Amino acid sequence: MDSLTKFAVVVIAIPSAVALLEHALNKIGGGAFLWRDKECMPRELHTASIFMNEEPISCLKPIPIHGQVDQVFHTSRGKLIPLDTKTRAHHSIYESDIVQLSTYAVALRQMFPGMPVPHGYIRTVIVGHGFKSVRYHRVKLLSESQVVRIATS
């Protein structure tokens, strides 16, 4: 294959194939790719795969934790990113949201050792008459010792 043909394959054929694949996946998957675009999902989540979806998580150490995480994304760099959705009147996040997500992160680190959980997202949704507004808030998670202190106080 000469260099012009290789160039045509890289510049034309591969992007066209990717576009066709995304179109087929949108039809099959009920528009999951379109949903990610429509909500202006952060790039790191948009390019990640869904690792867990509304699944129970639990651990016994350092404290007993049992809950159900909304979603956990797995990035191409091997990180787990927990996400919790809140329906609210305003795009606000509260300390209790960060504590909840941080508690999930403690359980995830115990369940999947070696997979870092560096931060999380709170997805706030406002639903009104004829509209829906969604925002993703990247949050710094509390440390394991902070979660333990809050849980045992």
Side-chain angles (χ1 to χ4, degrees), residues 8-19:
V9 167
V10 170
V11 172
I12 298 168
I14 292 174
S16 297
V18 169

Side-chain angles (χ1 to χ4, degrees), residues 108-126:
L108 288 167
R109 289 181 188 115
Q110 292 296 317
M111 293 170 65
F112 305 101
M115 296 183 84
V117 186
H119 56 271
Y121 283 89
I122 305 294
R123 176 180 171 261
T124 55
V125 180
I126 299 173

Side-chain angles (χ1 to χ4, degrees), residues 51-52 55-61 65 67 69 80 104-115:
F51 185 74
M52 299 176 84
E55 293 182 37
I57 59 172
S58 62
C59 69
L60 296 175
K61 293 180 180 180
I65 296 172
V69 66
L80 296 179
Y104 292 159
V106 170
L108 288 167
R109 289 181 188 115
Q110 292 296 317
M111 293 170 65
F112 305 101
M115 296 183 84

Side-chain angles (χ1 to χ4, degrees), residues 41-60:
M41 182 181 278
R43 183 161 183 74
E44 76 173 326
L45 299 181
H46 192 282
T47 59
S49 59
I50 294 179
F51 185 74
M52 299 176 84
N53 186 38
E54 297 188 12
E55 293 182 37
I57 59 172
S58 62
C59 69
L60 296 175

Side-chain angles (χ1 to χ4, degrees), residues 84-106:
D84 200 49
T85 298
K86 304 293 184 184
T87 302
R88 304 245 160 94
H90 302 284
H91 287 296
S92 304
I93 58 170
Y94 303 104
E95 186 176 340
S96 60
D97 300 332
I98 296 170
V99 170
Q100 180 182 8
L101 208 58
S102 298
T103 303
Y104 292 159
V106 170

Side-chain angles (χ1 to χ4, degrees), residues 2-23:
D2 65 22
S3 59
L4 183 59
T5 305
K6 288 178 185 176
F7 177 78
V9 167
V10 170
V11 172
I12 298 168
I14 292 174
S16 297
V18 169
L20 286 172
L21 178 62
E22 278 194 2
H23 179 72

